[in-house]
Amino acid sequence: MMEIDYSKVGLKVGLEIHQQLNTKNKLFCNCPTILDEEFKYTLTRFLRPVMSETGEIDTAALFEWSKNKEYIYQIPIKSSCLVECDEEPPHSINEEAILIGLAMTLAFHGNPIDEIYTMRKVVIDGSNTSGFQRTTIVGLGGYLDDDEGKVTIQTIAIEEDASRKVEDKREAVIYNLDRLGIPLIEISTGPDIHSPDQAKRVAFKIGQTLRLTGKVKRGLGTIRQDLNVSISGGVKTEIKGVQELDMIPEIVKNEALRQLGLLSIRDEIRKRTTKDEVEKGMIIKDLTKIFEETESKLIGNEIKRGGKVYGMRVPKFKGIFGIELEPNKRFGTEVSDYVKVLSGLGGIFHSDELPNYGITEKDVKKVKEELNVQETDGFIMIVGPKVKLDQAIGVIRERIIMSFDGVPKETRGSNPDGTTRFLRPQPGSARMYPETDIPPLRLTESLLDKAEKIVPPTPEEKMKQLLTLGLSDELAKQLINSPNIDLFEHLAETFSPKVSPSLIASTLENTIKYVKSQGGDISLINDHVLEEIFNAISEDKIAKDSVTEVLLAFSKEKGAKLEEIIKRYSSISEQDLENIIDEVINSSIDEIKLKKEKAFNLIMGRVMNKVRGRAEGKRVAELIKEKLQKLD
């Protein structure tokens, strides 16, 4: 793929950072903010769009409604109530969450809102039982400093998180209500980011500041970044659900490439033809008979199930569908994505990739003859049930005509490989309207004072605090840049002084990485596991040197119980340790005499092989030195 001069193409990136807050209760009820798989009941909903105060219906809402899906909600026992079921009005807004939002506003030099109003944001993809998400802006303005210049903070909002998707079926989507209503902070920057690496840095700094509050949740799914990306001549494209910080530069780069490619396609097809000529020259035919004896398994199986094969001639589009926009994604993929989302069909082929997939040169020739495809034309084939093919053909036609305008305004989803896919059209202003069930919250001096007390320290201030705990410079820097910093503070507060902060920090930042490098499944090492291990150290059940061995054993031995592994590495008594050392020295006495200068290393190695994880290396070394000195 081509290298990009981002300043020349006018790259602009804005970020929306969404982070779950670790509050005691949800945003509009008293349910705890925990995930809960256990449920007894479900409820079913069909959602539909409604008009805003301006008399408009949001485009994105209409799009989701057109899918005509049923939404089934699991009602967890411990973490939901009638508020999540939309059978009871919301309670007063959670003050703890508002205070965190105000504190973050102050941390980024912003202006707190004098009177905080809750709004409804129309969302009918099923993620909310009510058909809308409640959100409230608590701060405006602000900025953060970056090496490439100041980045503005446009808004800081507190909103309720969505339901957790459990399963997405063709006709229905299943959600769990445990996550619905967990307070979420949304920090939105201005379009002041001009390179992929800067986007990553800014996202990291915002995430770091959030972690330094000590009031955010950790783990997969608790934070996500949405990106707004545009280039000169393109449009602002929303990219949703980026969870890995390291993927941000790749996603930004690929989106810039995609928009450049779409603009190039626009310019090329405008040279060749006009929008009207393409629309008038499209020929659509049923090609099923041509493929009754096909070698393509996909097409053959669909025909056996009663499906059809439709073809569409696209005038002057030869070579266009095969133009690569992102790595391994071509313009044909863009068309295919639209069809998959809007009609649910996936069997799409285009002229620039055929013959292939069991479709022979002979088949292609017949298709061209049937559709009257000329030398400069392209064509598309689509396979599926007849009831969906008419809709799919309409979608294809629309997306091809959109190519004359360049980059469509849409919301896209991030893929694991750094590319993106079409999700839906972008929402408009008709999406928001006031929440009438919740009174506004006036900002008082008392609220502001409380917020000021929880403003997070700067990284420099936090560094000084960590050094006072006895951490080395290197370990303190690792923690400052780590998502584990709040876990470290929790464990240090719980187990100090019996367990040193340095041991806790080293375990989080170094030992777990080592365990992973040795093939351990570190997904098993959760907060509870670490608490149990450090508790065992604090109660002198195991030595601090056993942490690595315990974590290795627990992460490698599938189904092993942590209590049993801890017992396996239980500390041996001082007398037993001395007996082992005496035994090793006595059995090695001849070697000690021959290699006197290497005697300590020899005995240390053999003793540690016997007691590794059950005795502290420092104490073992002290006893060996004492006993070797007596031999002299």
Side-chain angles (χ1 to χ4, degrees), residues 178-193:
D178 53 4
R179 201 177 70 181
L180 180 61
I182 291 179
L184 198 70
I185 188 169
E186 180 190 73
I187 300 175
S188 302
T189 77
D192 307 320
I193 298 166

Side-chain angles (χ1 to χ4, degrees), residues 388-407:
K388 290 198 170 186
L389 283 178
D390 290 335
Q391 180 187 10
I393 285 292
V395 171
I396 293 169
R397 182 197 297 273
E398 183 180 351
R399 183 61 188 89
I400 287 170
I401 296 305
M402 287 165 62
S403 65
F404 280 87
D405 299 320
V407 185

Side-chain angles (χ1 to χ4, degrees), residues 357-397:
Y357 313 110
I359 300 171
T360 65
E361 184 69 54
K362 186 178 178 182
D363 294 331
V364 173
K365 186 178 179 182
K366 288 181 180 178
V367 170
K368 287 182 175 180
E369 289 173 356
E370 189 69 22
L371 294 175
N372 193 25
V373 174
Q374 303 301 307
E375 179 62 28
T376 59
D377 296 342
F379 68 84
I380 280 183
M381 289 166 42
I382 183 161
V383 185
K386 187 179 186 308
V387 68
K388 290 198 170 186
L389 283 178
D390 290 335
Q391 180 187 10
I393 285 292
V395 171
I396 293 169
R397 182 197 297 273

Side-chain angles (χ1 to χ4, degrees), residues 50-54 56 58 117-123 132-137 157 159 186 427-435:
V50 295
M51 285 187 180
S52 71
E53 289 186 317
T54 61
E56 300 172 276
D58 180 60
Y117 285 83
T118 303
M119 300 289 289
R120 292 178 177 181
K121 184 192 297 182
V122 175
V123 181
F132 56 81
Q133 178 190 38
R134 296 182 180 93
T135 182
T136 179
I137 294 175
E159 56 190 28
E186 180 190 73
S429 58
R431 191 184 190 192
M432 299 280 284
Y433 60 101
E435 167 62 82

